[in-house]
Amino acid sequence: MSPSAITPPRTTSELTNAGIEHIIAKTAPSLATNGACSTLAELDASKTLFTRNTNPRSVPEPNSPEVWAQNTCTDHMITCAWNAPSGWQSPQLVPYGPFSIMPTASVFHYATECFEGLRVYRGNDLRLRLFRPDRNGRRMVGSAARIALPAFPPDELVKLITKLVSVDCEKWLPKDRPGNFLYLRPTMIGTAAALGVQKPKEALLYIIACLFPSFDEPGGTLIADPRYIGNGGEGKSPPKRPGLRLLASKNDMVRAWPGGFGFAKVGANYGPSLIAQAEARAGGYDQILWLFGQDCHVTEAGASNFFVIWRTRDGKLQLVTAPLGDKIILDGVTRRSVLDLVAERLSYTWEGQTGLEALEIVERKYTMGEVEEAFNEGRLVEAFAAGTAFFISPVSEIHFRGNDLKIPLSNGVSGQYAAMLKTWLKNIMYGEEKHEWGVVVEETGLNL
């Protein structure tokens, strides 16, 4: 097996599994576990060509309307084309701007699009860091293969991300603003100009860096209120609320299902959910808590993974989250990091060193009925969402079938465990704690 080989993501469908393995073997043979051979060129970050932006823009002030609009990107972006006859072309680091795609492109008609979301951080030591970018790279390979887009070595994607941030962050994430971040969006789309329902014969990988607000603020969660966002915004910070308010979905709504693609970060997972999310926000809620099936199994909170901490009837204190096995939920990087940190630092071995009672990790299917029972019996300790955008966000309320479950917030804005996990993760991201998850990026500026 090649040192860089990966195990293809497994779904509940053998036919889909076979297709994913074939795509990986054909488009990125170095990843294949079966010794596959292909003449197609693989993605190679060392071949990147650089075209400097001769018309750079100014950087908006932090928390300005431009930042809240979430549409201001840095001066450059990465692009790399792929085609079926020859494989991956040389990557390009070019000025940020529009690119031309034919109206018949596959992405416009058949949702052949996947993406990743991660951040680059300006540490308090003034250095740049990525947080576990290898996990984003590996996940994007699975997402791309799931929708018949080409695969690539995950390390090469990380190298391309590193090239972009090493050039643009000197200006867009300056050293006089430590403790800030940029949002990074690697994306792949099918671009072949043909309306036939078939695997795309052409694709485009691109990576952009965008100014993004921090929804996770001291004193509460910033409310995504349209009065404060975009060109029509009032130019002032949105109000804060202590914790997220979630509206549990009803039986007439399903976000993902076994045998589908809920595990993949593809656009088709998000577009159909936007109308429900908008209606929830119009009703004063921050996100939908997505339930599945007649038994109301808890899955995700909006686009974030969801955790509860409860005490069982026999006295065990548990951290509970939905499992990955049926491929309904996303294998979130923040989710995995929470579980890893709890296993390492909040286990019974460490009990007493953090000042908090140890947690038992439970990854299993659980129902909203169980959450409601724990709440009614006083056993529900706290709940929080975990993801790149909302980071670690405490949940203060869940509306379920006409009842409002008021979730405890031990310090007024967060539960103790969510606050502790948030602190540990931030310390790694911003360099307060030296850790292998915090990958330092050396800056080149425009001297690439």
Side-chain angles (χ1 to χ4, degrees):
M1 182 186 300
S2 166
S4 59
I6 65 171
T7 301
R10 305 295 295 178
T11 74
T12 57
S13 164
E14 287 305 315
L15 185 65
T16 301
N17 290 337
I20 290 174
E21 291 176 3
H22 177 78
I23 288 171
I24 291 176
K26 180 71 173 178
T27 61
S30 65
L31 303 183
T33 58
N34 59 1
C37 182
S38 173
T39 59
L40 297 182
E42 294 200 50
L43 184 64
D44 186 349
S46 69
K47 297 180 178 179
T48 302
L49 305 174
F50 179 34
T51 302
R52 183 178 303 197
N53 191 334
T54 58
N55 189 29
R57 292 167 295 164
S58 59
V59 180
E61 291 297 315
N63 218 29
S64 63
E66 292 91 343
V67 173
W68 275 92
Q70 301 170 46
N71 60 12
T72 300
C73 292
T74 62
D75 290 325
H76 298 91
M77 63 182 182
I78 296 278
T79 65
C80 189
W82 175 91
N83 62 63
S86 57
W88 288 101
Q89 310 302 300
S90 295
Q92 310 276 332
L93 203 167
V94 296
Y96 174 83
F99 39 70
S100 178
I101 302 176
M102 296 302 290
T104 49
S106 172
V107 63
F108 295 139
H109 303 275
Y110 309 121
T112 49
E113 184 268 356
C114 65
F115 64 94
E116 273 300 319
L118 66 160
R119 298 178 180 183
V120 56
Y121 303 88
R122 175 64 74 184
N124 295 317
D125 60 355
L126 307 185
R127 305 191 77 179
L128 291 179
R129 283 177 178 82
L130 300 170
F131 182 76
R132 305 188 82 174
D134 58 311
R135 297 196 69 90
N136 295 95
R138 294 170 74 90
R139 186 172 64 185
M140 191 170 181
V141 171
S143 297
R146 178 62 181 85
I147 52 174
L149 290 174
F152 51 84
D155 289 348
E156 296 303 310
L157 177 68
V158 175
K159 291 175 185 176
L160 289 175
I161 292 170
T162 299
K163 286 182 181 292
L164 176 61
V165 301
S166 68
V167 167
D168 273 359
C169 284
E170 181 178 38
K171 170 184 173 181
W172 289 85
L173 204 56
K175 292 182 179 180
D176 60 1
R177 295 181 186 177
N180 286 296
F181 68 89
L182 292 174
Y183 184 83
L184 306 174
R185 175 54 63 87
T187 306
M188 195 190 306
I189 58 177
T191 55
L195 284 179
V197 183
Q198 59 185 310
K199 292 193 297 184
K201 296 180 180 179
E202 296 177 6
L204 180 70
L205 169 69
Y206 65 92
I207 307 168
I208 56 176
C210 184
L211 296 180
F212 222 72
S214 177
F215 296 105
D216 163 56
E217 290 285 337
T221 301
L222 291 175
I223 301 171
D225 189 323
R227 291 176 296 171
Y228 302 89
I229 300 172
N231 296 329
E234 297 176 4
K236 51 188 177 183
S237 298
K240 296 177 182 179
R241 171 188 294 145
L244 297 175
R245 297 182 70 224
L246 303 181
L247 176 64
S249 65
K250 297 182 180 179
N251 290 339
D252 60 356
M253 291 193 299
V254 177
R255 191 200 71 86
W257 52 91
F261 41 86
F263 72 95
K265 208 165 179 66
V266 297
N269 271 334
Y270 295 82
S273 71
L274 298 181
I275 189 167
Q277 176 183 298
E279 289 301 301
R281 286 183 173 173
Y285 298 94
D286 296 291
Q287 290 287 349
I288 297 284
L289 179 62
W290 291 103
L291 309 180
F292 177 75
Q294 293 299 315
D295 293 332
C296 299
H297 287 108
V298 180
T299 62
E300 295 186 325
S304 300
N305 295 123
F306 182 72
F307 293 83
V308 296
I309 298 176
W310 63 31
R311 193 173 296 280
T312 65
R313 291 193 177 106
D314 60 1
K316 293 181 180 179
L317 193 61
Q318 297 180 331
L319 174 71
V320 185
T321 193
L324 302 176
D326 56 11
K327 301 300 180 182
I328 287 179
I329 71 166
L330 190 71
D331 185 7
V333 178
T334 310
R335 174 190 183 275
R336 175 49 50 195
S337 301
V338 165
L339 295 175
D340 289 345
L341 286 175
V342 169
E344 177 188 337
R345 304 181 183 186
L346 284 169
S347 65
Y348 290 98
T349 304
W350 276 60
E351 189 167 17
Q353 298 186 44
T354 62
L356 295 176
E357 184 178 347
L359 294 174
E360 177 187 5
I361 296 173
V362 178
E363 294 181 73
R364 69 165 174 87
K365 294 181 180 180
Y366 67 103
T367 68
M368 197 58 211
E370 291 181 86
V371 176
E372 191 172 36
E373 281 184 0
F375 171 79
N376 291 334
E377 296 172 9
R379 297 185 289 107
L380 186 57
V381 177
E382 62 182 89
F384 58 91
T388 301
F390 278 91
F391 192 31
I392 303 293
S393 291
V395 173
S396 61
E397 180 182 332
I398 302 173
H399 183 82
F400 175 62
R401 305 298 190 265
N403 295 321
D404 293 323
L405 281 60
K406 303 290 186 180
I407 313 298
L409 299 173
S410 57
N411 65 6
V413 295
S414 176
Q416 289 180 304
Y417 290 92
M420 179 70 77
L421 288 163
K422 184 185 299 184
T423 297
W424 286 337
L425 288 168
K426 276 191 169 181
N427 286 346
I428 296 170
M429 292 165 175
Y430 289 103
E432 295 292 333
E433 175 186 345
K434 295 191 183 305
H435 197 287
E436 62 181 351
W437 294 350
V439 180
V440 174
V441 177
E442 299 298 335
E443 297 177 74
T444 63
L446 295 175
N447 299 315
L448 184 67

